[in-house]
Amino acid sequence: LKSPAAYPAYRAAVRADPSFHDAWHDLAFALGNDQLHRHAEMAARQALAVRATGENWFSVANHVMSQKRYAEAADIYAKGAALSPSLVDLHHNWGFACHLSGSRECAIRAALKACELWLSGEATTID
């Protein structure tokens, strides 16, 4: 479904079952695509509450970054990296958030970790 036509369907799904992870996740994605980042963040946090994964931390952090809350996003990416240490997308974005928040050492560490994961063949990515 294309947003915003999809919003009522996703909202009905989560009203019927607040633990419906995929509906929360897809709602966050649709809202983010429409640049509704505050609402997307709230939906992504609901998905995270249902299923605490590195990918869900990544999603929340991306929506926080889109609101230019860079230091907060960096902290959120760090939480995701703790759960999914091989998720290279997390480390890449973590480094960028650190850079934008002015934390040079954090940016370098995260970027080096992303490179290390790729070079070692241990990197996983978000589908």
Side-chain angles (χ1 to χ4, degrees):
L1 295 172
K2 290 193 175 225
S3 52
Y7 302 158
Y10 292 134
R11 288 188 174 120
V14 297
R15 268 195 306 276
D17 180 3
S19 67
F20 190 180
H21 170 268
D22 291 346
W24 283 117
H25 185 270
D26 292 350
L27 176 59
F29 186 81
L31 290 163
N33 278 347
D34 288 340
Q35 307 299 307
L36 300 169
H37 300 297
R38 187 173 58 83
H39 297 289
E41 176 192 349
M42 293 184 328
R45 286 185 184 277
Q46 289 297 326
L48 178 64
V50 172
R51 190 179 303 157
T53 65
E55 184 174 336
N56 284 334
W57 282 109
F58 177 80
S59 178
V60 171
N62 284 346
H63 296 301
V64 170
M65 275 266 290
S66 295
Q67 296 172 71
K68 300 182 181 182
R69 294 169 18 219
Y70 304 124
E72 183 182 351
D75 291 342
I76 295 168
Y77 286 122
K79 291 175 182 176
L83 280 178
S84 300
S86 65
L87 190 56
V88 72
D89 307 282
L90 261 165
H91 293 282
H92 175 269
N93 285 24
W94 183 11
F96 190 53
C98 290
H99 166 73
L100 292 173
S101 69
S103 180
R104 181 182 294 170
E105 288 181 26
C106 173
I108 292 169
R109 276 194 315 274
L112 287 174
K113 181 63 177 181
C115 292
E116 175 188 306
L117 288 167
W118 275 117
L119 293 173
S120 70
E122 297 173 11
T124 58
T125 59
I126 294 176
D127 297 327

